[in-house]
Amino acid sequence: MKHALVIGGTGMLAETTLWLADQGYHVSVVVRNKQKMDKLIERSTRSDKLIPVLVDYKNTEGLIHRLREDFERHGTPQLVVAWIHSDAGKAREVILHEVAKATVPFNLYIILGSSHNRDVFRQEINVPDHGTLHIVQLGYVVEGNRSKWLVHDEIAHGVIDAIRNEKMEHVVGVLEPWEHRP
Ligand SMILES: NC(=O)c1ccc[n+]([C@@H]2O[C@H](COP(=O)([O-])OP(=O)(O)OC[C@H]3O[C@@H](n4cnc5c(N)ncnc54)[C@H](OP(=O)(O)O)[C@@H]3O)[C@@H](O)[C@H]2O)c1
């Protein structure tokens, strides 16, 4: 069974979550808000493929428990897409640890905001040999002589593009010149 895990899959990554289900993945979605998740399931043409994993990822014990439960039922994911806030404590570490425990090869797509340094991030994160780290960084869009932040669809489709083409690094929009950001 193709199994994907999406962290934060009901917000700006909603279209990415729906797309993964359309690609035949069983998609486990880590979120807190059941109503938002139910709305996403209603929008999906493959609603049977969307699996809510309702937990606050800042709650380490709860997160471990819910992930183990999910992996037991649906197998360890081969694909992880993670948009995790910087104040999330150990969430990223915990998710990576739980996914990497099985020796199943996996692809990890981490979404980073504009102000991160991808090289530093790559050095700091400890991905084992059977995992492949892909970094998707969010930039801004230039329209004529104005710039604007990315909207949800642009972000979600940028992430889809990165997954489809297995890009190791992908910037959605642009990051330079920094002083032209909105
Ligand atoms: N450079 C850029 O253009 C850039 C960069 C970053 C962000 N942004 C923008 O900033 C906006 C706000 O970002 P946002 O983070 O609110 O994104 P979001 O993707 O709209 O929402 C956050 C997602 O993460 C989940 N989530 C958040 N905290 C969680 C927690 N503690 N435990 C479990 N799940 C959690 C939310 O679900 P629940 O609420 O159900 O928990 C939701 O699915 C976005 O709309 C995006 O457009 C732009």
Side-chain angles (χ1 to χ4, degrees), residues 28 51 74 109 137 143 147 149 159 169 175:
S28 298
I51 308 152
H74 306 286
Y109 287 81
Q137 188 163 18
E143 281 175 355
S147 63
W149 291 114
V159 175
E169 300 225 339
L175 291 167

Side-chain angles (χ1 to χ4, degrees), residues 8 10-12 32-33 36 55-57 83 85 114 138-139 152:
T10 55
M12 64 191 194
R32 294 163 299 184
N33 186 314
K36 270 199 306 191
V55 66
D56 183 337
Y57 55 50
W83 166 241
H85 292 161
S114 312
L138 306 178
H152 287 194

Side-chain angles (χ1 to χ4, degrees), residues 4-133:
L5 175 71
V6 182
I7 324 297
T10 55
M12 64 191 194
L13 293 181
E15 293 298 326
T16 311
T17 305
L18 296 175
W19 178 79
L20 286 170
D22 287 345
Q23 301 311 298
Y25 281 95
H26 280 81
V27 192
S28 298
V29 189
V30 172
V31 286
R32 294 163 299 184
N33 186 314
K34 185 174 181 311
Q35 281 81 10
K36 270 199 306 191
M37 187 67 213
D38 287 345
K39 277 192 186 150
L40 190 66
I41 291 173
E42 272 170 31
R43 282 178 57 200
S44 177
T45 50
R46 306 295 304 270
S47 53
D48 56 312
K49 298 238 170 233
L50 295 180
I51 308 152
V53 178
L54 298 174
V55 66
D56 183 337
Y57 55 50
K58 293 184 193 172
N59 169 1
T60 300
E61 291 308 313
L63 179 62
I64 292 172
H65 175 72
R66 298 291 281 121
L67 289 178
R68 287 184 185 170
E69 196 175 61
D70 181 66
F71 298 175
E72 249 170 52
R73 209 170 285 165
H74 306 286
T76 307
Q78 307 89 12
L79 174 65
V80 181
V81 181
W83 166 241
I84 301 172
H85 292 161
S86 49
D87 64 351
K90 292 185 174 169
R92 187 181 289 130
E93 209 178 308
V94 164
I95 292 160
L96 182 53
H97 180 259
E98 291 302 315
V99 171
K101 272 201 317 202
T103 48
V104 183
F106 67 95
N107 283 293
L108 170 64
Y109 287 81
I110 294 272
I111 321 303
L112 294 180
S114 312
S115 57
H116 281 80
N117 179 313
R118 295 193 299 282
D119 293 335
V120 171
F121 182 85
R122 206 171 263 287
Q123 281 162 16
E124 284 175 357
I125 190 167
N126 194 11
V127 180
D129 289 347
H130 61 292
T132 305
L133 173 65

